[in-house]
Amino acid sequence: MGELFGTDGVRGRVGREIRAELGLGLGRAFGAYLQGWRVREQELIREGEKIEGGVILGMDTRKSSPFLLASLGAGLAEVGVPPIVGGVLPTGGVSHLVRDQLAAGGGMVTASHNPPEDNGVKFFNREGRKLSVKEEEEVEALYFYFRDHPAEVPVSPLSPRRQLEIGEGYLSFLKGVFRFAPTPLGPVLTPLKGWRIGVDPGNGALSHWAPRLYRELGAEVVELNTTPTGENINRNGGALYPEGLGQLISKKGANIGFCFDGDGDRLVVVDERGEVVDGDKVLGGLALFLARHNQLGGGAVATILSNLGLEKFLENHQIPLYRSKVGDREVVAELEKRGAKFGGEQSGHLIFIDYLPTGDGLLSSLFLLRFLIEEGIPASRLHSLFPTYPQLQRSIPVHRKPPLEQIGPLQELLREIEKGGYRVVVRYSGTEPKVRLLVEGPTLDGVEERIWKLETLLRRELQ
């Protein structure tokens, strides 16, 4: 991670880290990067051909998002890259529209699941993929260079292009998940007719798009937290607080419920009884579904946090499971390495690489609905797909972050725990001064004992 970019773009508190001048500077830097400018040995040079096309800009529903999007667009326009302003869109929508519109890149103004007081920016390359670490380093170098050498900004002013209707293309893309699904009767215009679906986008980017999509596919929709005010995004609703939708579903008698985070790239599922479905069960069901349709490629990918029960379940169905580091960018990298087509995180970020190179909650929900419809099962059956191993996680504040592999007592304890048949993950947080622990194994008592030993040792070594 650099000084600006963290594990998922730039993010911070509005009025402190996030100000208009940051958006302007990021727009300049990203636009210059797309135009072929680089910083080499403290000099600005033109390296390679410039990329033609504009940049698709979307935003979530925070009250700070319009000013940040405007400053980002102004920075792009200043260096000659047309901003194409798409309005309120989810992260997956920006990713899709970059490819659909043959744009040079994309920018999403959001702080994802963070509180309303925060905001940030995610960038995408012309393939609709989040920038790699190296690409972010290039943009960051340009940002600081232009800050320190304002006279060298390659100014080529343009006016922003406002193109709100491009969001309709995103909706058509999503409907295609059902449009091309094999059925005895051929394409069905209203494949969700007879379904009652609960929706809680947490007053975020999907507040308009999610209810509209399900209704246009024939479903009856029960809404919760779909009236954004700019100050209520992620407030006691959405993917972080699925219990509210669970209560509403139980009351209204819906078939299933979908919760999304602020930028709509994460899906949390609630069954018809109002109970939250484990993210690994969703991942397992979708992997099985895609395998049956020969759409899984070389296997599936989960992160190091996914339960061992998922691995055993897929193994029983002759589906290889590969593990990646935490983060959807890491999942994508492992998918490409293994020739796999589907993967994701237990938290609800799911990647269907043949459809989108980033997470999209709506896309994930449509594939899950197809699975349930074809299997003829209720959402509650997902709970019994496979047994999960007892698993506990802890986050411990730390004052320093020495390399974990150099802490001798820790490595000795890890070897001892793993010999006993337990799976252990110890890693530093990428965004906070914390070390995160996960212990998983055959018995809860054993897991509790081992995570207590780890926590005690790390508090002694790192505080």
Side-chain angles (χ1 to χ4, degrees), residues 430-443:
T431 57
E432 300 176 280
K434 292 180 179 180
V435 62
R436 303 198 190 280
L437 312 179
L438 179 150
V439 179
E440 181 179 86
T443 69

Side-chain angles (χ1 to χ4, degrees), residues 22 30 72 76 79 90 102-103 157 171 189 218 225 248 275 311 318 331 349 375 402 413 421 451 457:
L22 174 70
F30 185 52
L72 189 66
L76 287 163
V79 296
L102 302 179
L171 214 62
L189 295 178
N225 297 314
L248 185 62
E275 298 177 9
E311 190 172 323
Q318 290 78 51
V331 172
H349 294 98
E375 292 291 313
L413 179 56
I451 203 166
L457 185 149

Side-chain angles (χ1 to χ4, degrees), residues 37-56:
W37 294 99
R38 304 290 184 270
V39 177
R40 293 289 181 268
E41 298 181 357
Q42 297 305 307
E43 290 187 6
L44 183 66
I45 62 172
R46 191 67 168 268
E47 188 177 83
E49 296 296 322
K50 69 177 183 178
I51 298 174
E52 299 291 342
V55 170
I56 304 290

